[in-house]
Amino acid sequence: MSLLEIIRQSLDSLLRNRLRSGLTMLGIIWGLVTVVLLLSYGKSLGEGVLNGFMGLGDNVIMVWGGQTSMQAGGERSGKKVKFLDGDTEAVRDAVPFLKAVSSETDDGFSFKYGSKVVNIQSKAVDFPYGGMRRLNVDQGRYFEAADFTDHRQVVIFGPHAAQKLFNGYPPVGESVQIEGHVFQVIGVLKNKIQDSSNNGPDNENAFVPFDMMRLLRNQRDPDSIVFQPSAPELHLKALQAVRAVLAQRHHFDPKDDKAVPSWDTVADSAEIMQFSTALDLLLGIIGAMTLGVGGVGVMNIMLVSVTERTREIGLLKALGARRKDILTQFLLESLTLTFLAGIVGMTVAVIVAYLIPPMPLYSDIYKTANHEGDILLRASPTIMLVSFAILAAVGVISGLLPAVRASRMDPVVALRHE
């Protein structure tokens, strides 16, 4: 028989036993809805946690001065390493596969606006810093190259820092005093989700050009160097190259990671992605087991169907049907039942996913709009494809035993069956 004929017979068989077929399909529908919702939850949670961590920046690596633990160049171990003016430029010039490099210095400054004086944690940075650290501007503008070349006294606020000093008054264009020096406010950053930070989240910080540290603290040396490899897979090579440049300038062993400690967000994000993958796998297994319960129902109804159609199977074999033909027929009937329930289940899953409201994750903490950072249950094409793959496996496994049993029947015994 043709494939269409087998499917037609399968539908006729389902319609003859509507209640039994409906209850069997209900198990598949319930299982598929569970699979879709669990996979959607895992995907959204994993993406939310990763985006929260990546609020620190895209493939960012930070290094700062430490203390040597190895002897090198006649120097004893235990020597403190302090970055000097020119180290950042040396790294930028010597390592060709870095996309961006910036000095960074963190300090708390006294900010005065009108009669109000508050202390705000601030970062002095170079021009490429914003692109690496996702410093997206909501009001005004980000730094431009002329702000650094012309030594302009300008400042950018994180949204919470701006609220702290200005109490909701539009800050862009206003002048503030930082440690007694007048700076112009040129921008306010967008409120962003940031799960990890160095010396406070960007929402709470203010940012000034690095050269202004000479004015505010009479300081020319960076506390740390922030850089971004040209490709994520080069992160270890980039870190080794940067450490080698600094080792040559400060006379320590380039293999001494204690001399220049680092924070490699590329490696950390890879670990978070592994956690997300493991969570997806766990939830997928739980969903598949739930769907497997529905598969047991399919297997049961197919075994009953084989018993009820024993004489039909004997007649087909007497007319020349091979074991493969019988096996294919009953296996396709099982898959027809499974996928018909699957189509209904997928439709129900998509509707239910949209009806479930966003589940809070970051919105309450960061006061984001439009549920940004929350867990949204949405059946993406990938999730639907994975769900149907699980469904197909359940359908094949559920139908295989009844189909094998039917194909192995002796036609003589089958024809005598009452």
Side-chain angles (χ1 to χ4, degrees):
M1 290 186 293
S2 66
L3 177 62
L4 290 177
E5 179 63 21
I6 293 174
I7 294 175
R8 188 189 65 77
Q9 286 192 9
S10 301
L11 293 175
D12 289 341
S13 177
L14 292 176
L15 291 174
R16 284 196 302 269
N17 301 279
R18 288 182 175 85
L19 181 60
R20 186 174 69 183
S21 300
L23 292 174
T24 304
M25 292 173 63
L26 186 61
I28 294 293
I29 294 169
W30 178 262
L32 191 61
V33 170
T34 303
V35 169
V36 172
L37 294 183
L38 285 175
L39 290 178
S40 299
Y41 179 87
K43 181 174 183 291
S44 183
L45 177 61
E47 289 177 349
V49 172
L50 181 61
N51 287 334
F53 175 79
M54 294 302 288
L56 181 70
D58 296 319
N59 305 322
V60 170
I61 301 174
M62 301 180 186
V63 293
W64 56 92
Q67 187 172 347
T68 61
S69 61
M70 303 167 64
Q71 295 181 1
E75 299 280 353
R76 295 179 60 185
S77 62
K79 183 188 77 169
K80 289 187 177 180
V81 176
K82 186 179 183 301
F83 291 162
L84 301 173
D85 185 23
D87 283 348
T88 303
E89 290 73 17
V91 168
R92 185 182 294 118
D93 295 339
V95 185
F97 45 88
L98 296 184
K99 186 177 180 180
V101 183
S102 173
S103 301
E104 178 184 287
T105 293
D106 293 272
D107 209 341
F109 293 138
S110 174
F111 284 71
K112 181 180 180 183
Y113 177 68
S115 60
K116 187 172 185 179
V117 179
V118 296
N119 189 274
I120 298 176
Q121 189 69 25
S122 305
K123 296 181 185 292
V125 300
D126 290 328
F127 178 66
Y129 188 84
M132 290 187 283
R133 290 288 322 283
R134 291 189 179 184
L135 300 186
N136 299 317
V137 174
D138 183 41
Q139 305 171 36
R141 65 173 178 85
Y142 182 67
F143 297 121
E144 58 188 23
D147 293 329
F148 297 85
T149 57
D150 297 344
H151 305 290
R152 295 173 183 170
Q153 295 176 206
V154 291
V155 60
I156 296 174
F157 283 92
H160 297 173
Q163 177 65 29
K164 186 177 179 181
L165 183 63
F166 293 93
N167 287 331
Y169 186 81
V172 176
E174 297 295 313
S175 295
V176 298
Q177 291 187 33
I178 308 177
E179 300 293 325
H181 302 278
V182 178
F183 279 68
Q184 183 184 20
V185 182
I186 62 171
V188 177
L189 300 179
K190 290 182 179 178
N191 182 34
K192 76 172 179 178
I193 298 170
Q194 185 179 348
D195 236 358
S196 55
S197 65
N198 60 323
N199 296 321
D202 296 336
N203 291 338
E204 309 286 347
N205 285 339
F207 301 83
V208 297
F210 185 79
D211 286 344
M212 290 301 101
M213 285 300 296
R214 301 176 181 181
L215 177 68
L216 299 173
R217 285 284 189 270
N218 191 26
Q219 179 179 343
R220 295 172 181 267
D221 304 330
D223 291 339
S224 58
I225 298 175
V226 184
F227 58 94
Q228 183 183 47
S230 56
E233 58 270 18
L234 297 175
H235 67 110
L236 293 179
K237 183 179 178 182
L239 179 56
Q240 292 170 357
V242 169
R243 195 171 272 144
V245 173
L246 295 172
Q248 185 177 14
R249 291 175 61 86
H250 292 271
H251 311 293
F252 64 85
D253 192 318
K255 297 179 181 178
D256 188 356
D257 56 2
K258 297 285 196 314
V260 178
S262 64
W263 183 5
D264 187 350
T265 66
V266 181
D268 289 349
S269 61
E271 291 179 1
I272 293 175
M273 291 180 68
Q274 288 179 352
F275 159 77
S276 178
T277 302
L279 179 63
D280 288 342
L281 182 60
L282 175 62
L283 294 177
I285 290 173
I286 295 172
M289 292 175 67
T290 306
L291 189 56
V293 174
V296 172
V298 174
M299 185 183 298
N300 180 60
I301 194 176
M302 290 307 300
L303 286 172
V304 172
S305 179
V306 168
T307 302
E308 292 176 343
R309 296 162 62 185
T310 302
R311 289 177 60 84
E312 176 188 333
I313 295 169
L315 182 60
L316 289 172
K317 284 200 166 188
L319 293 174
R322 297 168 298 176
R323 290 181 58 180
K324 186 177 76 170
D325 299 327
I326 303 297
L327 179 70
T328 302
Q329 179 177 347
F330 279 89
L331 186 58
L332 285 176
E333 286 186 14
S334 172
L335 290 174
T336 300
L337 175 63
T338 303
F339 279 102
L340 187 61
I343 292 171
V344 177
M346 188 61 68
T347 304
V348 173
V350 172
I351 295 172
V352 170
Y354 273 93
L355 290 177
I356 295 176
M359 290 172 275
L361 182 62
Y362 288 115
S363 61
D364 288 344
I365 301 173
Y366 294 95
K367 308 302 179 185
T368 57
N370 300 320
H371 299 288
E372 181 185 359
D374 286 343
I375 299 174
L376 300 174
L377 300 183
R378 297 293 180 263
S380 67
T382 302
I383 290 175
M384 295 175 70
L385 185 63
V386 171
S387 300
F388 263 103
I390 296 174
L391 180 67
V394 169
V396 170
I397 295 171
S398 301
L400 197 57
L401 178 61
V404 169
R405 181 177 175 182
S407 66
R408 289 180 176 177
M409 282 188 178
D410 187 311
V412 175
V413 175
L415 287 171
R416 290 176 176 174
H417 181 78
E418 293 296 334

